[in-house]
Amino acid sequence: MKFLTTNFLKCPVKTCDTSNDNFPLQYNGEKCQLIQDESIEFNPEFLLNILDRIDWAAIIIVARDLGNKSLPPTKPSFSPELSDDDLIVLRDLHTLLLQTSIVDGEMKCKNCGHIYFIKNSIPNLLLPPHLA
Amino acid sequence: MLPTPYTKFDYDKVYEPSEDSFLLLDCLESELKFLDEKLKGKLSVVCEIGPGSGIVTTFMIQNSIPSLNSSIYLAVDINPWALESTIDTAARNNCKGRYLDTIQCNLTDSLKANEVDLLVFNPPYVPAEEVPQIPESKGEIDNWLDLALLGGKDGMVITNKVLENLDSILSSNGVAYILFCARNKPEVITAEMKKTGNWKIELVETRKAGWEVLSVYRFERQH
């Protein structure tokens, strides 16, 4: 599961929807095994579209869960003419958001505490029958 | 005509691409212009519920639907075999290097609200006594396949769950393509939704497939 996908996953337990703690899920940095997959090519326009859309606060939280404390507190913004420095920032974000994958690991809901697992890069958010 | 993805998987475990799958592909092809105009210039979160073999998601990736270099694809299925097959089908069709993640969950229950820009759903639409139980283990192969087909009363039990949640699934500009068979009574359901909700719904494709009549409807918000 790519890092960016964490920006779209919440706890599936219905009663957690009324809390503010079901997103982002809390990733267990000790259990999460990360890989770099370089198959997606760098495309500044794609990155800008992604940045425009994402919940930056959630990106910071998940990055910190996974041991990356280097992100700026506010979402980077860019002028229409990208400078070399802008491209460096975008490349770093490309590496984090699109090339970093969690292959195996676990995450939990900060509201209900339920733990979900990631195996072979596939997160499993199916609930056991008593929670579904 | 756009190429159809090549698929090869164990069709005892996942739904084999059939008339309904191909109708969805044709529907998406006929909607290329509409989708490009509606969604271009921004990131599109594309979600297929129940990808089965992965043919539809792969088709969208291959043909840059809704638009080139601005889409991420999330395929959600409760069937673990379907997720494996979706990854396999994407890989067989040179989709490496594109953004695809597969997620095991029930419908869109684990997706943050109002994030999906393009939703595609070929549901278990066959009327049946009841919706099968979710198997406890990956090994109960027959039961996984039943789950891909049987939709309970009027074949609508699962589709109704998605329709009831559509307002919280789709982004403000989101669009959904959902497949029905005639026994689902889609004209009654869509008329009711138009009456009670703020929906613009259009029949995009319809086709006779053996003894079934299949159709795909497009759902978007009235603005």
Side-chain angles (χ1 to χ4, degrees):
Chain A
M1 170 174 99
K2 295 168 191 47
F3 187 102
L4 176 59
T5 297
T6 67
N7 217 248
F8 300 100
L9 290 186
K10 69 168 180 75
C11 177
V13 174
K14 281 268 174 303
T15 49
C16 293
D17 280 342
T18 50
S19 85
N20 288 323
D21 288 329
N22 68 343
F23 172 84
L25 294 168
Q26 186 171 45
Y27 293 77
N28 184 328
E30 282 179 12
K31 299 267 174 74
C32 285
Q33 192 195 333
L34 307 180
I35 55 156
Q36 291 301 121
D37 172 3
E38 290 176 3
S39 62
I40 299 182
E41 277 181 36
F42 177 58
N43 178 330
E45 195 192 342
F46 188 29
L47 253 293
L48 290 171
N49 285 338
I50 288 169
L51 272 180
D52 198 38
R53 172 70 175 267
I54 52 179
D55 179 334
W56 185 253
I59 294 284
I60 293 180
I61 293 168
V62 176
R64 201 170 291 157
D65 286 349
L66 297 173
N68 177 342
K69 300 189 174 79
S70 68
L71 294 176
T74 51
K75 196 193 278 195
S77 57
F78 304 93
S79 52
E81 293 283 314
L82 294 173
S83 68
D84 287 351
D85 284 350
D86 289 343
L87 285 170
I88 291 170
V89 175
L90 285 173
R91 266 194 190 280
D92 282 349
L93 287 169
H94 173 75
T95 304
L96 176 69
L97 300 175
L98 304 184
Q99 295 192 323
T100 304
S101 281
I102 309 174
V103 193
D104 281 285
E106 59 180 65
M107 63 272 197
K108 78 171 183 190
C109 172
K110 280 174 278 192
N111 188 55
C112 70
H114 193 80
I115 294 177
Y116 303 95
F117 294 91
I118 303 168
K119 284 188 184 132
N120 298 321
S121 289
I122 301 176
N124 182 350
L125 292 108
L126 262 187
L127 294 169
H130 70 280
L131 285 174
Chain B
M1 199 174 148
L2 300 176
T4 304
Y6 173 63
T7 61
K8 186 172 188 289
F9 204 76
D10 185 346
Y11 297 120
D12 291 332
K13 297 174 181 157
V14 300
Y15 185 67
E16 182 171 2
S18 306
E19 297 287 349
D20 46 359
S21 326
F22 300 126
L23 185 70
L24 258 181
L25 301 192
D26 292 345
C27 160
L28 288 165
E29 180 166 352
S30 74
E31 291 286 283
L32 284 176
K33 192 159 169 281
F34 171 88
L35 286 171
D36 184 57
E37 280 170 13
K38 189 174 174 74
L39 301 173
K40 75 176 160 199
K42 281 188 292 210
L43 181 73
S44 292
V45 176
V46 181
C47 174
E48 183 182 11
I49 306 174
S53 64
I55 188 171
V56 176
T57 286
T58 300
F59 181 83
M60 291 192 285
I61 298 175
Q62 257 186 333
N63 296 298
S64 300
I65 299 171
S67 46
L68 186 66
N69 284 332
S70 65
S71 309
I72 67 170
Y73 299 87
L74 303 176
V76 299
D77 205 305
I78 49 177
N79 178 353
W81 300 105
L83 302 173
E84 282 181 23
S85 177
T86 298
I87 294 167
D88 181 76
T89 298
R92 279 175 195 278
N93 292 276
N94 300 320
C95 293
K96 209 167 157 53
R98 308 295 297 275
Y99 196 110
L100 167 66
D101 262 338
T102 58
I103 300 159
Q104 190 177 10
C105 75
N106 188 22
L107 305 173
T108 57
D109 289 357
S110 70
L111 295 188
K112 198 169 160 249
N114 302 117
E115 292 286 359
V116 178
D117 300 293
L118 171 55
L119 181 77
V120 179
F121 187 25
N122 181 2
Y125 57 75
V126 178
E129 292 267 312
E130 54 189 22
V131 172
Q133 295 274 323
I134 297 175
E136 281 178 22
S137 80
K138 201 174 163 185
E140 296 173 48
I141 291 165
D142 294 346
N143 301 350
W144 287 114
L145 202 53
D146 282 348
L147 220 49
L149 301 171
L150 305 179
K153 187 171 185 298
D154 293 333
M156 277 302 291
V157 172
I158 306 298
T159 309
N160 275 335
K161 290 185 187 182
V162 172
L163 293 176
E164 282 160 15
N165 281 322
L166 203 54
D167 194 40
S168 60
I169 298 171
L170 292 183
S171 67
S172 58
N173 192 37
V175 55
Y177 294 89
I178 300 176
L179 186 136
F180 296 83
C181 77
R183 288 178 293 162
N184 300 151
K185 306 189 186 99
E187 62 295 334
V188 177
I189 287 152
T190 52
E192 183 63 22
M193 275 180 80
K194 280 194 243 184
K195 207 163 53 177
T196 55
N198 194 28
W199 295 104
K200 188 176 169 192
I201 308 169
E202 278 186 46
L203 174 62
V204 184
E205 290 275 356
T206 186
R207 182 179 298 166
K208 201 162 177 299
W211 48 274
E212 282 179 321
V213 178
L214 303 174
S215 52
V216 181
Y217 284 79
R218 179 179 74 209
F219 299 74
E220 54 183 327
R221 289 193 182 81
Q222 297 272 18
H223 284 292

